[in-house]
Amino acid sequence: MAGALGVFAAACSPSRLPGGGSSESPRAPLLAVKVDNVGPARPQTGLDEADLVYVEQVEAGLSRLMAVFGSRLPKVVGPVRSARETDLELLRQFDRPTLAYSGAQSALRPSIEAAPLRAAPPGGGFGAAYFRGSGRPAPHNLYLRPAKLGEPAAGVRAGEVAGFEFAERVPKGGRVEVERTVRFPAARFTFNWASGEGRWLVSMDGRPATTAAGARLGAPSVVIQYVDVQSSRFHDRSGNVSPLSRTVGEGRAVVLRDGRVYAARWRRPGPATPTTLTLPLALGGPVWVILTPR
């Protein structure tokens, strides 16, 4: 893990030009996987190898994750769950990524089919890439073998494709803070700074988040991105309306890095454009992005 992160950090030197442009604009197939995040689904597999982990609000105030892989692929990711309308707008910035998910509401399927992405659910001819794990009840036991999708990620850092800048030097300003909690109606995430490890350790719903092997999940940078969350036209089987997190526009953000908290702004002018921040992130990954209601 340390060696892989070192390679990642060395390759992430700032390459953005003034005004948010870049001397290089990497575009290559990326893999996004919808990951379950309720109690029976934990600990998850593969999140520690993602470049980006997005946290989004779903029905009944719960949360779900989207892990985006580009610089490397894990052998297994999961548990895999269903797609949401929020995913389609969010993924437009990644230039036709592959989206792995367990399924979707029938009313949402036409939107997924029309979206500029490669949809890869088990029923779409990709069944061989999925398997059911033992020891957990359905639907919390569906896993993905990314290598079997046939078009793996291509060594591109998803954070840079998303528009984020990375820099080793600690930005001026901010304030020292070693713990920050973000709350959804029925979920919460806490990030504790571990100075000896140079990363924020993740806890979910009051419990340390770990890999399936027992290692703590963490991130050198955390972005709390305040977005408009509105009711979509979709709902679950219990009648709960599916929230829609709008990631096109602009607004405030909070960036956690190097044991400090910084006020920042995010901007994404259109669906096919990247998301820029007014503050560079720390080298390395993954980056956790919490799509938080304004």
Side-chain angles (χ1 to χ4, degrees):
M1 172 66 78
L5 286 176
V7 172
F8 181 87
C12 277
S13 58
S15 59
R16 296 285 163 185
L17 299 176
S22 174
S23 58
E24 298 179 359
S25 297
R27 288 292 183 267
L30 298 175
L31 171 63
V33 184
K34 288 307 298 292
V35 178
D36 201 352
N37 196 38
V38 293
R42 300 171 187 158
Q44 296 97 335
T45 299
L47 294 180
D48 55 322
E49 297 188 67
D51 290 344
L52 298 167
V53 178
Y54 288 96
V55 179
E56 62 187 58
Q57 184 176 322
V58 292
E59 299 81 9
L62 296 169
S63 66
R64 190 158 292 176
L65 311 178
M66 180 191 291
V68 183
F69 302 89
S71 60
R72 57 184 177 175
L73 284 177
K75 292 182 178 180
V76 176
V77 183
V80 181
R81 288 301 301 272
S82 55
R84 293 294 185 275
E85 189 177 13
T86 293
D87 308 327
L88 305 184
E89 181 174 280
L90 181 62
L91 288 174
R92 285 288 303 276
Q93 64 189 328
F94 291 115
D95 191 25
R96 304 192 69 83
T98 294
L99 173 60
Y101 60 103
S102 64
Q105 298 179 28
S106 57
L108 181 59
R109 289 173 190 163
S111 296
I112 296 176
E113 293 169 359
L117 54 79
R118 177 181 178 238
F126 299 96
Y130 292 87
F131 69 95
R132 292 284 178 182
S134 60
R136 293 185 182 183
H140 312 294
N141 61 351
L142 181 66
Y143 291 86
L144 170 72
R145 294 187 180 96
K148 291 185 175 292
L149 289 178
E151 194 175 300
V156 173
R157 291 166 291 278
E160 291 187 347
V161 177
F164 297 143
E165 297 182 31
F166 296 82
E168 182 177 6
R169 179 175 295 179
V170 179
K172 296 180 180 180
R175 69 175 185 277
V176 175
E177 187 170 320
V178 296
E179 180 177 296
R180 173 60 66 102
T181 295
V182 180
R183 300 178 186 275
F184 288 179
R188 74 182 188 273
F189 296 81
T190 300
F191 301 93
N192 293 95
W193 176 246
S195 58
E197 300 180 34
R199 62 183 188 141
W200 298 84
L201 301 181
V202 183
S203 295
M204 302 179 186
D205 300 329
R207 295 186 177 183
T210 67
T211 66
R216 283 296 299 270
L217 291 177
S221 301
V222 178
V223 179
I224 304 169
Q225 182 178 345
Y226 291 93
V227 300
D228 289 327
V229 179
Q230 60 195 52
S231 296
S232 74
R233 59 190 177 93
F234 305 102
H235 55 79
D236 65 13
R237 295 179 179 178
S238 300
N240 297 305
V241 176
S242 298
L244 172 59
S245 296
R246 307 313 303 249
T247 53
V248 171
E250 59 183 309
R252 72 184 184 96
V254 172
V255 173
L256 313 182
R257 60 162 294 177
D258 302 291
R260 304 184 73 86
V261 174
Y262 297 86
R265 301 284 300 177
W266 67 271
R267 185 172 184 268
R268 185 180 171 202
T273 58
T275 303
T276 57
L277 286 169
T278 56
L279 193 88
L281 305 180
L283 298 179
V287 176
W288 280 61
V289 182
I290 319 300
L291 302 177
T292 308
R294 295 185 195 270

